[in-house]
């Protein structure tokens, strides 16, 4: 599971993921909670798939906790994670994973481990602190009902997202049995490609993503 994470500032995101259009200007955060508006990188589909179309890589904001487009009301328990094994099948995610995939920039994420009766936070991150991770995400647009105010709403529409998770690697399994799917730089273009809409091919791509090399260190929020 990924219930808290940290993300870098705008400059690091632009440089790492080759963003060409900036909609939001995020400052770095060391402890992001669900329902927070966070930066995501997407390929602006526009006229994607049509002859002569030009895609633009964009940095925009999304509320962490996906709301399906067909939802009648705001979920009280936000869908912050999507299981990679079933994401192409679950009604809440199967449309978004085919056509609205995103990269969620991160410097690492947190898990809590029970030690001697006390929950101890661990920060899982790359060995090189300058490395920026790209969590595999998916996003959706939801029409906000009249009279409801939600942070991140633009022109009565809310962009929300979820992070894909998979079974944790052996090195990290003692911390938690699930971990975010981390897209390596060589597969970022494929992950963001809005013309890749076949569910079977999307699953093939997910299976091709290797486990990241992360370390887990005790962390203090004080």
């Amino acid at each position: 599971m990924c219930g808290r994470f940290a993300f870098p500032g705008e400059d690091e995101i632009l440089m790492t993921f080759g963003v060409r259009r900036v909609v939001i200007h995020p400052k770095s955060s060391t402890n992001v909670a669900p329902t927070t508006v966070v930066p995501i990188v997407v390929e602006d589909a526009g006229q994607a798939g049509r002859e002569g179309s030009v895609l633009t890589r964009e940095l925009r904001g999304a509320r962490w906790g996906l709301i399906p487009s067909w939802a009648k009301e705001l979920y009280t328990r936000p869908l912050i994670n999507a299981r990679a094994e079933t994401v192409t099948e679950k009604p809440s995610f199967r449309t978004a994973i085919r056509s609205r995939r995103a990269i969620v920039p991160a410097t690492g994420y947190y898990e809590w481990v029970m030690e001697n009766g006390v929950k101890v936070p661990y920060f899982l991150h790359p060995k090189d602190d300058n490395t920026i991770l790209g969590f595999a995400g998916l996003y959706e647009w939801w029409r906000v009902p009249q009279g409801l105010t939600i942070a991140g709403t633009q022109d009565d529409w809310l962009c929300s997202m979820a992070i894909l998770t998979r079974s944790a690697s052996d090195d990290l399994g003692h911390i938690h049995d699930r971990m975010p799917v981390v897209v390596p730089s060589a597969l970022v273009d494929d992950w963001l490609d809005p013309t890749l809409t076949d569910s079977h091919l999307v699953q093939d791509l997910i299976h091709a993503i290797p486990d990241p090399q992360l370390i887990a260190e005790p962390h203090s929020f004080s």
Side-chain angles (χ1 to χ4, degrees):
M1 181 177 178
C2 176
R4 294 288 179 104
F5 72 97
F7 63 76
E10 178 182 347
D11 290 344
E12 293 90 341
I13 296 173
L14 301 187
M15 183 170 57
T16 301
F17 299 107
V19 172
R20 302 296 298 275
R21 179 190 298 149
V22 177
V23 177
I24 65 166
H25 299 278
K27 296 182 179 180
S28 62
S29 177
T30 58
N31 186 13
V32 185
T35 73
T36 301
V37 176
V38 302
I40 63 172
V41 177
V42 304
E43 207 75 83
D44 182 10
Q47 301 297 315
R50 299 186 181 182
E51 186 176 355
S53 65
V54 177
L55 302 180
T56 302
R57 189 156 298 180
E58 181 177 278
L59 178 64
R60 67 166 63 136
R63 185 178 189 267
W64 186 18
L66 188 136
I67 307 170
S69 61
W70 40 260
K72 301 300 183 184
E73 58 186 6
L74 190 67
Y75 284 7
T76 55
R77 296 185 63 182
L79 302 174
I80 63 173
N81 293 156
R83 296 177 70 92
E85 299 88 345
T86 58
V87 68
T88 58
E89 304 168 6
K90 294 293 185 180
S92 296
F93 304 123
R94 62 190 180 194
T95 300
I97 193 63
R98 290 199 305 268
S99 55
R100 286 179 290 279
R101 294 180 299 276
I103 291 291
V104 183
T107 53
Y109 67 102
Y110 300 94
E111 295 290 0
W112 277 255
V113 178
M114 188 67 73
E115 296 180 353
N116 299 319
V118 177
K119 285 188 175 182
V120 177
Y122 277 77
F123 187 53
L124 293 86
H125 62 95
K127 294 179 180 179
D128 180 0
D129 289 336
N130 294 319
T131 298
I132 306 301
L133 302 174
F135 292 160
L138 57 155
Y139 68 100
E140 189 58 273
W141 292 97
W142 185 64
R143 186 63 178 264
V144 178
Q146 188 174 6
L148 183 61
T149 301
I150 308 174
T153 301
Q154 298 179 5
D155 298 326
D156 297 328
W157 289 91
L158 178 68
C159 183
S160 62
M161 71 84 182
I163 296 170
L164 262 68
T165 66
R166 61 171 22 151
S167 295
S169 60
D170 292 342
D171 291 343
L172 301 177
H174 68 288
I175 299 292
H176 196 280
D177 62 349
R178 304 289 295 181
M179 65 186 297
V181 176
V182 178
V183 182
S185 57
L187 293 178
V188 167
D189 289 350
D190 293 327
W191 183 254
L192 293 179
D193 183 1
T195 67
L196 177 63
T197 59
D198 183 278
S199 297
H200 297 292
L201 295 179
V202 172
Q203 270 295 353
D204 289 344
L205 178 57
I206 293 173
H207 292 155
I209 296 175
D211 289 333
Q213 299 299 310
L214 304 177
I215 59 176
E217 295 182 321
H219 181 84
S220 175
F221 289 101
S222 59

